[in-house]
């Protein structure tokens, strides 16, 4: 039941081709000098021009000013962040649910992020309102831009919801199916990155 407003970003569930999602991720580096935001599990991320992973700050509401990753140019995001590993000041290897803003890697070490970057994965997400059957096949986007504060530090998870006012115009995510019960106050859906909003389906480089 989704009667409580408790969004969690995007959670990988299955593949669009019917195959089971087996938990596959790819590793990318976060700048060892530190990133400028927290990055929470379930948040959409992208590579910057230096080749490091950063938080995507566009809502994906369109392909121009609100495009992904957020620069005003639609180059697409890389996927969804699901954790990281780094060495702390005591020399211990830490596996973390989220990346804490500004953390600098000790000399000679790196900060490795795990990202679900397969453009064929379907993600479950909560909307910021109810959803009707007619929403299947329409598009949605983040109800508010992701930021360093759109997450829960104690559990490390995103708190971002998708927009319940769906559109048929260009936007970041296609609603594939509805997973919540009819009448739920906050609908839950399965979505997929639309072509171009995922960097692996976009011909423009970063």
């Amino acid at each position: 039941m989704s009667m409580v407003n408790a969004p969690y970003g995007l959670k990988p569930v299955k593949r669009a081709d019917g195959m089971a999602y087996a938990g596959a991720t790819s590793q990318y580096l976060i700048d060892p000098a530190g990133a400028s935001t927290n990055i929470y599990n379930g948040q959409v991320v992208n590579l910057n021009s230096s080749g490091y992973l950063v938080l995507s700050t566009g809502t994906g509401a369109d392909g121009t000013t609100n495009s992904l990753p957020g620069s005003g140019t639609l180059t697409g995001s890389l996927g969804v962040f699901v954790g990281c590993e780094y060495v702390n000041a005591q020399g211990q290897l830490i596996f973390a649910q989220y990346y804490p803003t500004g953390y600098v890697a000790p000399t000679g070490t790196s900060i490795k992020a795990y990202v679900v970057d397969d453009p064929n994965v379907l993600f479950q997400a909560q909307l910021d309102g109810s959803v009707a059957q007619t929403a299947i096949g329409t598009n949605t986007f983040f109800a508010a831009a992701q930021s360093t504060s759109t997450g829960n530090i104690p559990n490390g998870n995103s708190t971002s919801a998708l927009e319940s006012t769906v559109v048929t115009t260009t936007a970041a995510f296609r609603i594939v199916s509805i997973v919540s019960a009819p009448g739920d106050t906050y609908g839950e859906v399965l979505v997929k990155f639309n072509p171009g909003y995922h960097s692996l389906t976009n011909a423009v480089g970063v």
Side-chain angles (χ1 to χ4, degrees):
M1 296 290 287
S2 301
M3 306 304 288
V4 178
N5 183 19
Y8 42 81
L10 302 182
K11 298 299 182 186
V13 173
K14 57 187 289 187
R15 285 173 49 90
D17 59 10
M19 297 291 289
Y21 172 68
T25 60
S26 297
Q27 282 191 8
Y28 296 90
L29 295 179
I30 294 173
D31 190 341
S36 62
T37 66
N38 294 319
I39 307 177
Y40 297 98
N41 190 297
Q43 287 190 320
V44 172
V45 289
N46 62 277
L47 293 176
N48 64 17
S49 59
S50 297
Y52 291 120
L53 197 78
V54 295
L55 181 66
S56 296
T57 55
T59 63
D62 54 52
T64 53
T65 56
N66 297 299
S67 63
L68 291 180
S71 61
T73 301
L74 181 60
T75 56
S77 292
L78 182 61
V80 175
F81 176 89
V82 290
C84 63
E85 63 175 82
Y86 56 87
V87 175
N88 66 13
Q90 291 72 43
Q92 300 165 316
L93 180 62
I94 303 298
F95 293 90
Q97 185 82 345
Y98 85 105
Y99 166 80
T101 179
Y103 184 78
V104 177
T107 301
T109 69
S110 58
I111 306 169
K112 299 176 183 178
Y114 296 93
V115 178
V116 181
D117 60 359
D118 183 348
N120 290 311
V121 168
L122 302 183
F123 297 90
Q124 184 169 324
Q126 188 178 71
L127 305 178
D128 66 349
S130 60
V131 61
Q133 185 71 15
T134 52
I136 296 176
T138 64
N139 294 328
T140 185
F141 48 92
F142 284 113
Q146 298 181 126
S147 72
T148 193
S149 59
T150 55
N152 184 304
I153 288 178
N155 65 27
N157 291 331
S158 169
T159 55
S160 289
L162 297 184
E163 178 60 57
S164 60
T165 303
V166 297
V167 297
T168 56
T169 52
T170 301
F173 308 108
R174 175 64 52 86
I175 296 178
V176 176
S177 64
I178 298 170
V179 298
S180 57
D184 279 5
T185 305
Y186 300 98
E188 292 186 85
V189 294
L190 292 185
V191 299
K192 181 180 180 293
F193 278 91
N194 271 323
Y197 286 87
H198 194 293
S199 60
L200 298 184
T201 63
N202 191 313
V204 180
V206 295

